Amino acid sequence: MATTPNPRTGEPLDLTTHLMDQAMGHLFSAALRTAAQHRIADHLAGGPRTAEQLAAATGTHTPHLRRVLRYLATRGIFREDAAGAYHLTPAAGPLRTDAPDSLHPAVMMMTDELFLRTSAAIPESVRHDGASFERLFGVPLFEHLRTDPVIRRLFDDGMSSLSGPVDEAVAAVYPFPETGTVVDIGGGRGGLLRAALRRHPQLTGVLFDQAPPLTHHLLDGDELKGRWRTQEGDFFASVPEGGDVYVLKHVLHDWTDEACRRILRTCHRAMAAGRRLLVIDAVLPPGNAPHFGKTLDVAMMGVVDGQERTAEEFATLLSAGGFRLTRVLPTTAFPSIVEAVAE
């Protein structure tokens, strides 16, 4: 019988079992969504509870809920004790809606039908150029978001949630100047700008994006008062001038190389020579080692016709936009900081 090491325990695992478990990965995504939708982690915040207690609290069917929780526990999401009570685990903690840097909105976004349909269409995507999303919904993702406020809010909430740990990791690692202006291009609700301004009290910032995310920005508060402004616009047309550091976080991975070159040229026109540009995205490592960026890379192919890139690919792309890559800084989160200067 052919075996392979179990990726979770290291014990020998039958290859048939292993491959079928991978093929049924969509069930884990559905189970995770079930726990998030019914806020199981919130109900466990006060201590362990049985499936019966959780079902009563959530209005769900006890036997079915127990089976879902038992499955999630095999992946470290919750833990069942000998008495049949379920506990929060470190992996389940971020599912709490009140947790610092809660990932609940991100899980709800990633497991929404909107994205599940594009993933299911990837076998077809590899036969064509362009994202499967556009073939399924008739328009590109960002155009669809402009016409559906419910999905737009789901997307903005999810992206803000996913960005939280990244924002703090980037602000902690990168040596932002003590004075000057940071321009966050396509910065969503401004989590990264907020983190940078908090660490550097003399720094000012501009949050540049479309209207929907700016409406729910995160920059209010006495500690940042008078040190920021928002500006609505389209980064394909123009971006604010006069900044000292420009940031593109989780922007370039949404777009093809040609579209990225257009964005970079727009930024270059607004920047003085020698000013710094930070691209915050996954930087794909060589070899077969797992990396979350490789997962995102396939997701980008289905959703937006974007891609994750290697350091060499970033260097080529930046050069075409008028920049020189100076260094790549890893962070404690999955993205890296690709630093470049305007030439």
Side-chain angles (χ1 to χ4, degrees):
M1 180 178 67
T3 63
T4 189
N6 187 315
R8 290 186 287 276
T9 68
E11 296 295 322
L13 182 67
D14 169 45
L15 277 176
T16 299
T17 301
H18 175 67
L19 190 58
M20 289 303 97
D21 192 38
Q22 302 307 307
M24 298 171 73
H26 58 281
L27 291 178
F28 178 72
S29 178
L32 189 62
R33 181 177 181 83
T34 300
Q37 184 170 311
H38 293 289
R39 302 195 173 189
I40 299 299
D42 286 359
H43 290 288
L44 293 177
R49 304 181 76 174
T50 65
E52 289 82 2
Q53 292 170 326
L54 290 168
T58 58
T60 54
H61 183 256
T62 299
H64 284 178
L65 180 62
R66 179 183 290 110
R67 290 158 70 177
V68 169
L69 295 176
R70 179 172 60 192
Y71 176 41
L72 289 171
T74 68
R75 308 288 183 94
I77 310 295
F78 310 119
R79 178 180 63 84
E80 184 182 11
D81 65 23
Y86 286 90
H87 300 242
L88 277 178
T89 59
L95 288 174
R96 288 178 54 181
T97 58
D98 63 346
D101 294 329
S102 170
L103 290 174
H104 183 273
V107 169
M108 293 301 293
M109 175 187 71
M110 292 295 190
T111 61
D112 186 77
E113 180 188 11
L114 191 75
F115 297 101
L116 294 183
R117 287 179 63 189
T118 61
S119 297
I122 283 176
E124 182 67 16
S125 291
V126 300
R127 300 178 57 195
H128 303 280
D129 189 20
S132 55
F133 186 97
E134 187 169 352
R135 289 191 294 277
L136 289 170
F137 292 89
V139 294
L141 171 66
F142 293 111
E143 186 174 334
H144 181 74
L145 294 178
R146 286 195 291 270
T147 63
D148 190 329
V150 174
I151 295 299
R152 178 82 221 200
R153 185 63 184 267
L154 173 76
F155 181 82
D156 289 342
D157 286 349
M159 290 304 298
S160 181
S161 165
L162 185 61
S163 291
V166 173
D167 296 335
E168 293 300 329
V170 170
V173 167
Y174 190 74
F176 285 95
E178 291 305 315
T179 61
T181 300
V182 175
V183 183
D184 196 353
I185 305 299
R189 295 179 178 176
L192 175 56
L193 186 58
R194 178 180 64 177
L197 295 184
R198 281 176 170 174
R199 286 177 175 270
H200 303 276
Q202 303 305 312
L203 205 58
T204 62
V206 180
L207 179 61
F208 180 83
D209 210 319
Q210 296 180 339
L214 294 181
T215 302
H216 304 285
H217 70 75
L218 305 172
L219 299 174
D220 284 328
D222 290 341
E223 64 179 326
L224 302 184
K225 188 174 182 179
R227 297 172 52 206
W228 57 269
R229 65 180 176 88
T230 63
Q231 182 173 328
E232 181 183 347
D234 176 0
F235 51 50
F236 286 108
S238 65
V239 301
E241 298 181 354
D244 297 284
V245 179
Y246 285 71
V247 179
L248 290 168
K249 180 172 73 72
H250 296 165
V251 171
L252 296 188
H253 79 161
D254 286 337
W255 302 96
T256 63
D257 284 354
E258 176 52 37
C260 287
R261 286 190 286 269
R262 290 173 55 199
I263 295 168
L264 290 170
R265 289 169 188 146
T266 302
C267 292
H268 191 269
R269 287 196 298 270
M271 298 171 63
R275 297 306 188 193
R276 287 177 283 173
L277 172 71
L278 309 183
V279 176
I280 316 299
D281 268 327
V283 177
L284 300 182
N288 300 315
H291 190 280
F292 185 57
K294 297 177 183 179
T295 303
L296 280 180
D297 187 44
V298 177
M300 294 299 102
M301 179 176 67
V303 177
V304 291
D305 197 23
Q307 66 180 93
E308 307 302 329
R309 296 174 171 89
T310 66
E312 293 76 14
E313 289 170 331
F314 273 119
T316 300
L317 197 62
L318 287 162
S319 178
F323 296 90
R324 176 174 51 86
L325 191 155
T326 52
R327 56 179 169 167
V328 176
L329 296 174
T331 72
T332 56
F334 68 89
S336 294
I337 304 168
V338 180
E339 181 192 66
V341 295
E343 294 189 318

